[in-house]
């Protein structure tokens, strides 16, 4: 099995001196990411309070919130907000109202909603930018359903 932190790799390629921290629930993926020596990797779940010993200019999720049980979303939102001293970015499936989608034959494993809107309302944030990934983009080949929003 091969694990690679593509998000951390992308940030590291932009600037190797970024102070990066990643949270990974999968122990093998956390070990693999730590071995890449580009970020501090913490093997834990983001549905529990995370140590806020340090704040970062940017906190973000990409394809993570869609798999969090809606009952635990507020804890994750709190972590994103508490660890950020400037920006929060979410790159997740979007739907104007919450909906659960069958995922690989399972129920209650994938959820679409307005994650950014919920963060904006909960913490009185300001929307800075939004968009979506396009399936024809040669560099980031996701489908058109993944939305992105940046808040402050």
């Amino acid at each position: 099995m091969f694990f690679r932190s593509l998000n951390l790799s992308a940030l590291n390629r932009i600037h190797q001196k970024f102070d990066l921290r990643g949270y990974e629930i999968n122990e093998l993926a956390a070990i693999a990411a730590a071995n890449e020596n580009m970020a501090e990797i913490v093997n834990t779940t983001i549905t529990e309070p995370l140590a806020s010993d340090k704040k970062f200019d940017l906190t973000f999720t990409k394809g993570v919130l869609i798999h969090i049980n809606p009952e635990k979303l507020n804890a994750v939102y709190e972590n994103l907000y508490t660890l950020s001293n400037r920006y929060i970015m979410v790159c997740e499936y979007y739907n104007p109202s919450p909906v659960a989608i069958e995922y690989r034959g399972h129920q209650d494993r994938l959820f679409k909603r307005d994650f950014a809107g919920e963060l904006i309302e909960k913490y009185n944030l300001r929307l800075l930018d939004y968009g979506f990934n396009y399936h024809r983009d040669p560099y980031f080949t996701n489908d058109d359903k993944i939305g992105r929003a940046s808040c402050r």
Side-chain angles (χ1 to χ4, degrees), residues 65-82:
L65 297 179
I66 60 170
H67 296 295
I68 302 294
N69 183 307
E71 294 174 4
K72 297 188 176 199
L73 272 177
N74 280 325
V76 180
Y77 291 164
E78 185 69 22
N79 286 326
L80 285 167
Y81 182 78
T82 301

Side-chain angles (χ1 to χ4, degrees), residues 74-130:
N74 280 325
V76 180
Y77 291 164
E78 185 69 22
N79 286 326
L80 285 167
Y81 182 78
T82 301
L83 291 171
S84 173
N85 66 20
R86 188 146 194 193
Y87 301 106
I88 300 170
M89 182 172 72
V90 293
C91 302
E92 306 287 344
Y93 288 166
Y94 169 80
N95 204 64
S97 58
V99 62
I101 307 293
E102 184 177 317
Y103 179 72
R104 298 182 180 175
H106 298 279
Q107 299 299 319
D108 295 326
R109 297 287 195 282
L110 192 145
F111 308 92
K112 291 171 35 174
R113 60 194 309 132
D114 184 2
F115 298 103
E118 291 175 358
L119 277 161
I120 288 167
E121 288 178 17
K122 183 175 179 67
Y123 298 104
N124 195 30
L125 302 175
R126 182 170 51 102
L127 180 67
L128 297 178
D129 192 14
Y130 69 95

